[in-house]
């Protein structure tokens, strides 16, 4: 079955650079800036754009580590593969196991959000029915080649971004009409007189997880044209494009709402933000676009989760017969795709607060491991030690990135730490079982 995707690539059906970027941006869910604004504005004392800048810098450091690995590796698998290649198969297994938690929860969250939004918009159908429809649609599209998914994602990302442009126009028009253009041309959203740094760091720790799309694109290497050239570019461009969208939207929201006094429900500020700025009709249109945005994120996160399961199945960690095979006709890891769809259906029995609090652990493990792996691979294994450039690339930048991620670990919710540790313990039992039964851990070269 490994030859299936080789033949797909030979037929010229690989993803272009722009398609990989679209999938990555869709994974990041650009309109999440509206969902989290009230929370982060309260945390940062009205300095959300500045928190996004801090988060962007921190994520660019880690994205650079991912880009370096993807340039020399050319293998799919993200942190799982990179850490295995630099730190050994056992280390790679545990990083992959922890990252898998994150990958499986994201499609579930998107199915859950679709259920919430659609039930509010069309209450004639119950929540469980909308979750089933959303999970089924996303699973169905992912059964086909990623080119189709990229085209869907492009449409579902373009519409919300266009509405965000309309939102910016409405903010500028509203403020200039009532207060004059001098109140538009101001640095107030970035610097409001408060110089305290700790609230900004706390806010950035919440926002960093909006940038997860750069991690996801590295699972698509073997379905991408010239992966060692395009995947590193996609990693950095996805992070930058997402950061620009987040920062711009946050700037104009903060310009219109300097603090949270306007919001009755700061933790769920999106409906109030668009209602105050554009009225009831604009609110309805905007919420429809939010559903599209959530579907786009669901498509991208589902694809990444199924690819990681496929890669781990290919390596024999999970059943090669099921997870490690791709469908000869469709050219996709069909069983892994269907499995992720079934997991997403469990959103019927969960609520958003339960799931969101659990999603941080796997991402932090992956980010920390990849930065450490840069040091191990380039400085220790390949002995790139001489000169200021090598010291900067192989020691200083990974260390700065780990220090930034340490701030996220400090702000990790207790529930996420407990659940993540429990998941790790299950992985440890699975690892010991494989050792006792003498089943080797081998991170193979994919599609050979």
């Amino acid at each position: 079955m490994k030859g299936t995707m080789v033949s797909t690539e030979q037929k010229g059906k690989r993803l272009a650079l722009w398609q990989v970027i679209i999938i990555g941006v869709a994974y990041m869910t650009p309109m999440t800036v509206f969902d989290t604004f009230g929370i982060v504005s309260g945390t940062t004392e009205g300095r959300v754009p500045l928190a996004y800048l801090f988060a962007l810098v921190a994520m660019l450091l880690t994205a650079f580590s991912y880009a370096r690995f993807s340039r020399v590796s050319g293998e799919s698998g993200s942190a799982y593969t990179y850490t295995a290649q630099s730190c050994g198969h056992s280390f790679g297994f545990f990083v992959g196991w922890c990252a898998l938690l994150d990958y499986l929860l994201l499609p579930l969250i998107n199915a859950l959000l679709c259920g919430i939004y659609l039930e509010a918009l069309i209450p004639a159908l119950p929540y469980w029915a909308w979750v089933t429809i959303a999970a089924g649609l996303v699973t169905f599209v992912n059964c086909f080649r990623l080119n189709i998914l990229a085209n869907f994602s492009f449409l579902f990302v373009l519409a919300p971004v266009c509405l965000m442009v309309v939102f910016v126009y409405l903010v500028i028009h509203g403020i200039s009409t009532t207060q004059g253009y001098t109140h538009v041309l101001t640095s107030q959203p970035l610097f409001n007189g408060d110089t305290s740094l700790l609230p900004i760091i706390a806010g950035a720790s919440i926002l960093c997880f909006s940038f997860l799309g750069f991690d996801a694109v590295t699972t698509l290497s073997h379905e991408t044209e010239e992966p060692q050239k395009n995947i590193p570019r996609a990693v950095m461009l996805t992070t930058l494009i997402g950061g620009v969208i987040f920062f711009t939207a946050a700037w104009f929201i903060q310009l219109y709402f300097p603090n949270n006094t306007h919001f009755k429900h700061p933790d769920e500020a999106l409906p109030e933000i668009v209602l105050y700025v554009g009225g009831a009709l604009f609110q309805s249109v905007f919420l429809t676009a939010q559903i599209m945005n959530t579907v786009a994120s669901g498509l991208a996160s589902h694809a990444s989760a199924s690819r990681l399961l496929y890669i781990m199945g290919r390596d024999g960690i999970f059943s090669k017969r099921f997870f490690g095979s791709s469908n000869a006709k469709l050219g996709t890891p069909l069983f892994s795709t269907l499995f992720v769809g079934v997991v997403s259906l469990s959103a019927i029995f969960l609520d958003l607060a339960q799931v969101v609090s659990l999603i941080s652990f796997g991402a932090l493990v992956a980010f920390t491991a990849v930065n450490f792996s840069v040091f191990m691979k380039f400085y220790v294994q390949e002995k790139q030690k001489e000169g200021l450039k090598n010291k900067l690339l192989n020691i200083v930048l990974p260390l700065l990135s780990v220090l930034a991620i340490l701030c996220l670990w400090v702000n990790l919710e207790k529930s996420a730490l407990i659940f993540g540790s429990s998941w790790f313990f299950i992985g440890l039992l699975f690892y010991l079982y494989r050792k006792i039964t003498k089943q080797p851990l081998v991170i193979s070269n994919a599609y050979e």
Side-chain angles (χ1 to χ4, degrees):
M1 302 310 293
K2 292 178 184 177
T4 302
M5 292 196 182
V6 173
S7 62
T8 300
E9 295 172 355
Q10 290 171 344
K11 291 177 183 177
K13 294 184 178 179
R14 292 184 182 182
L15 294 169
L17 174 62
W18 73 268
Q19 291 176 309
V20 179
I21 293 172
I22 285 294
I23 292 174
V25 173
Y27 194 102
M28 295 167 78
T29 323
M31 291 179 76
T32 192
V33 60
F34 291 87
D35 288 310
T36 59
F37 178 83
I39 300 170
V40 180
S41 183
T43 301
T44 61
E45 300 168 1
R47 294 174 292 166
V48 179
L50 189 58
Y52 267 113
L53 276 183
F54 270 70
L56 177 59
V57 171
M59 290 298 97
L60 279 173
L61 288 170
T62 297
F64 184 69
S65 294
Y66 275 82
R68 289 193 71 193
F69 260 107
S70 61
R71 185 175 293 112
V72 300
S73 173
E75 298 294 334
S76 297
S78 189
Y80 161 67
T81 301
Y82 301 157
T83 52
Q85 291 176 346
S86 59
C87 303
H89 302 314
S90 297
F91 192 65
F93 166 80
F94 285 109
V95 171
W97 179 265
C98 292
L100 185 60
L101 173 65
D102 214 36
Y103 276 78
L104 289 175
L105 284 177
L106 278 168
L108 188 155
I109 285 178
N110 284 295
L112 191 154
L113 287 172
C114 281
I116 293 172
Y117 294 148
L118 287 166
E119 185 187 29
L121 202 64
I122 310 175
L125 281 180
Y127 167 76
W128 67 265
W130 284 123
V131 169
T132 303
I133 292 170
L137 173 64
V138 167
T139 303
F140 176 76
V141 173
N142 269 284
C143 288
F144 299 92
R145 298 188 193 282
L146 284 178
N147 300 73
I148 298 173
L149 185 148
N151 294 334
F152 267 98
S153 297
F154 178 73
L155 293 174
F156 286 168
V157 169
L158 180 63
V161 169
C162 288
L163 271 178
M164 290 172 74
V165 173
V166 175
F167 174 85
V168 169
Y169 166 77
L170 290 173
V171 169
I172 294 173
H173 177 73
I175 293 177
S176 61
T177 301
T178 58
Q179 304 176 53
Y181 277 106
T182 55
H183 290 274
V184 175
L185 304 174
T186 175
S187 62
Q188 191 73 14
L190 199 62
F191 305 108
N192 62 6
D194 191 338
T195 58
S196 53
L197 187 60
L198 288 180
I200 298 297
I201 296 174
S205 71
I206 298 171
L207 298 174
C208 277
F209 301 107
S210 300
F211 291 83
L212 286 174
F214 75 82
D215 175 278
V217 301
T218 58
T219 65
L220 308 177
S221 292
H222 284 282
E223 293 162 276
T224 302
E225 295 174 354
E226 302 182 75
Q228 289 176 286
K229 175 183 177 182
N230 285 331
I231 291 297
R233 292 179 177 179
V235 168
M236 299 305 295
L237 287 172
T238 295
T239 310
L240 282 171
I241 292 170
V244 169
I245 293 173
F246 290 142
F247 177 79
T248 303
W251 179 282
F252 286 98
I253 301 172
Q254 194 79 77
L255 187 65
Y256 202 92
F257 303 99
N259 51 55
N260 282 355
T261 55
H262 289 82
F263 304 137
K264 295 179 181 177
H265 305 287
D267 291 357
E268 301 172 2
L270 184 148
E272 295 183 71
I273 290 172
V274 292
L275 178 64
Y276 288 134
V277 172
L281 177 60
F282 184 68
Q283 182 190 49
S284 298
V285 174
F286 206 91
L287 289 175
T288 302
Q290 178 72 338
I291 294 171
M292 296 175 65
N293 200 231
T294 303
V295 171
S297 179
L299 289 168
S301 59
H302 195 116
S304 298
S306 61
R307 266 63 186 178
L308 182 58
L309 279 171
Y310 169 77
I311 293 160
M312 296 178 79
R314 173 207 71 197
D315 292 342
I317 291 176
F318 303 128
S319 170
K320 284 187 178 182
R321 179 182 176 186
F322 297 108
F323 291 102
S325 64
S326 62
N327 185 275
K329 185 176 181 180
L330 297 174
T332 56
L334 186 59
F335 184 87
S336 295
T337 300
L338 295 174
F339 179 82
V340 176
V342 172
V343 172
S344 298
L345 286 175
S346 62
I348 294 171
F349 311 103
L350 301 170
D351 63 58
L352 186 60
Q354 288 175 320
V355 184
V356 169
S357 65
L358 308 177
I359 203 166
S360 313
F361 185 85
L364 290 181
V365 169
F367 291 167
T368 306
V370 170
N371 282 296
F372 178 71
S373 297
V374 165
F375 170 76
M376 289 299 297
K377 180 174 180 61
F378 296 103
Y379 191 83
V380 176
Q381 292 181 358
E382 298 187 2
K383 301 188 184 303
Q384 297 180 17
K385 301 180 179 181
E386 300 300 323
L388 181 62
K389 179 180 177 181
N390 281 330
K391 288 181 171 60
L392 177 66
L393 291 176
N394 302 329
I395 299 179
V396 177
L397 289 182
L399 179 61
L400 286 175
S401 186
V402 168
L403 290 175
I405 294 168
L406 183 62
C407 295
L408 307 185
W409 277 112
V410 171
N411 286 279
L412 189 64
E413 290 189 20
K414 184 179 179 180
S415 57
L417 189 60
I418 293 172
F419 186 80
S421 299
S422 301
W423 178 258
F424 179 85
F425 182 71
I426 294 170
L428 177 61
L429 294 178
F430 183 52
Y431 175 84
L432 294 174
Y433 167 77
R434 293 184 62 89
K435 284 288 188 181
I436 293 170
T437 56
K438 298 183 179 179
Q439 300 179 53
L441 292 168
V442 179
I443 311 302
S444 61
N445 293 321
Y447 316 117
E448 288 187 349

